[in-house]
């Protein structure tokens, strides 16, 4: 198994596992390689792997490896300005072909293809400007001579284009305006004569459309009701022709599933992993053997988590793919670290603090928690606790140890020690947030004293933005 994701610093990360070994993790391409958008992976032959993503400049990029190559190769396949920061889809309908689709900045749907023997890739426009929302896009080849592409329209409609060998591409609005949120979309062909698609409704419902050969029209169902899903990714897998399983993120951060096996009168719904397990981001699923199912998602602290089930297991199992060592600060976060060390050395006479990825993860998680819960920053403290505006998490946790209650920082570091936390919100950039902390005057100068505390040896900084764009800043120290 091989999985791929985009880190917060724009690097391309991978985790891979071969039967009989442990999981391994690599930074495949460095920071700044990718926009915060979709990524697609295809193995068109057992000895090849190809991945696709959107560059920060809107280019369409690929990485590929064929057995025998000493290193992965990276190419900018289509130039800057080709793509919006949205989804990307890839399909190999025959071992000697590769085809990709993406959303352009003008909201058209663009495509590229390559067949063995062609000297260069060819690109074409599948749907004109204004056709697509900057959201998910998916593609399926249910037979080697067919291709079907699905995306969400600007008006929330479900759009499709399809091609059968010997014909031109045709395009349809499959379901009308208002059907979908600007989120993920998934498609599965569990048998060559069937097609099923899944998406999130604007009310948080989980919806499906399906068509079986011989049906005059597509059918649409609200499979799970309003409030079931966050506007995030959705994944679908048919591990056997007579089964269908879908996965999504609940509005409370739970990881949820719906499943149906032929003969069942209704779909079943389960909260597979509890509230707080997942960030509202991507989710993916694979059935590598008919009797196995494995899923991966991003946790609120930006770690990668997985769940798996093999036939015969009484319950699902869960683990964290160890990616923390590869966390790197964003430019905003690095700017705060640099300003902190500048003042520690120049003003406080202290040694610089060193970045610790455990603190980086803890700080980001707290900023994301604040950004995701409007009003939390200035909410009253939990019962019996002292007021510390902005420092309590939605779970009631505090950054540092207090009154015998362990804090987030000590838990993140896994050992006792001195700790401190600075928080801020609403400032337009890292410099402004840091200035607000450092320019405090006694007696209300706790943030400045944290910055100039020579007992602190390690730092982590997290910056997150609310849905309305408001930035939240967290700076965690440990000594």
């Amino acid at each position: 198994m091989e999985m791929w994701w985009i880190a917060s610093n724009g690097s391309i990360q991978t985790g891979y596992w071969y039967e009989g070994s442990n999981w391994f993790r690599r930074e495949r391409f460095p920071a700044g390689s990718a926009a915060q958008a979709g990524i697609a992976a295809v193995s068109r032959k057992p000895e090849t792997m190809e991945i696709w993503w959107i560059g920060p400049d809107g280019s369409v990029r690929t990485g590929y490896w064929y057995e025998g190559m000493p290193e992965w190769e990276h190419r900018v396949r289509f130039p800057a300005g080709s793509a919006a920061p949205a989804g990307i889809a890839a399909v190999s309908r025959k071992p000697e072909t590769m085809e990709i689709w993406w959303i352009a900045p003008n909201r058209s749907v663009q495509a590229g293809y390559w067949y063995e023997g062609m000297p260069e890739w060819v690109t074409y426009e599948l749907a004109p400007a204004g056709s697509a929302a900057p959201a998910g896009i998916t593609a399926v080849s249910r037979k080697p001579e067919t291709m079907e592409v699905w995306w969400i329209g600007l008006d929330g409609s479900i759009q499709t284009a399809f091609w059968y060998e010997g014909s031109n591409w045709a395009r349809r609005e499959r379901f009308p305006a208002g059907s979908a949120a600007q989120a993920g979309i998934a498609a599965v062909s569990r048998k060559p004569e069937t097609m099923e698609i899944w998406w999130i409704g604007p009310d948080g419902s989980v919806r499906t459309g399906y068509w079986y050969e011989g049906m005059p029209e597509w059918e649409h169902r609200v499979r799970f009701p309003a409030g079931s899903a966050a506007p995030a990714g959705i994944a679908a897998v048919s591990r056997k022709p007579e089964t269908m399983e879908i996965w999504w993120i609940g509005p409370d951060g739970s990881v949820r599933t719906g499943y149906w096996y032929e003969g069942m009168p209704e779909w079943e719904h389960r909260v597979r992993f509890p509230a707080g397990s997942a960030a509202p981001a991507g989710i993916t699923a694979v059935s590598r053997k008919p009797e196995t199912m494995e899923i991966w998602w991003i946790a609120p602290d930006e770690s990668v988590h997985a769940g798996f089930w093999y036939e015969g297991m009484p319950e699902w199992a869960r683990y964290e793919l160890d990616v923390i060592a590869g966390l790197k600060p964003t430019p905003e976060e690095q700017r705060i670290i640099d300003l902190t060390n500048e003042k520690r050395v120049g003003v406080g006479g202290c040694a610089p603090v060193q970045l610790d990825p455990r603190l980086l993860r803890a700080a980001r998680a707290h900023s994301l928690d604040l950004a995701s819960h409007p009003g939390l920053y200035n909410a009253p403290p939990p019962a019996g606790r002292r007021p510390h505006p902005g420092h309590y998490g939605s779970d009631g946790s505090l950054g540092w140890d207090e009154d015998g209650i362990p804090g987030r920082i000590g838990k993140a570091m896994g050992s006792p020690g001195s700790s401190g936390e600075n928080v801020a919100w609403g400032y337009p950039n890292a410099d402004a947030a840091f200035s607000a902390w450092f320019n405090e005057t006694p007696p209300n100068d706790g943030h400045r004293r944290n910055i100039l505390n020579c007992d602190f040896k390690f730092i982590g900084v997290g910056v997150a933005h609310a849905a309305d764009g408001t930035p939240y800043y967290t700076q965690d120290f440990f000594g």
Side-chain angles (χ1 to χ4, degrees), residues 79-93:
S82 296
I88 188 167
V91 164
S92 173
R93 60 189 180 88

Side-chain angles (χ1 to χ4, degrees), residues 58-74:
S59 56
V60 177
R61 305 187 181 192
T62 184
Y64 61 91
W65 174 86
Y66 303 157
E67 272 185 15
M69 289 173 54
E71 297 292 338
W72 277 73
E73 292 284 341
H74 169 232

Side-chain angles (χ1 to χ4, degrees), residues 345-377:
V345 173
V347 178
C350 305
V353 281
Q354 302 299 313
L355 174 67
D356 190 290
R358 293 169 293 181
L359 291 179
L360 178 62
R361 183 168 74 167
R364 283 182 180 168
H366 186 57
S367 289
L368 182 61
D369 195 17
L370 293 171
S372 302
H373 295 87
L376 177 61
Y377 195 100

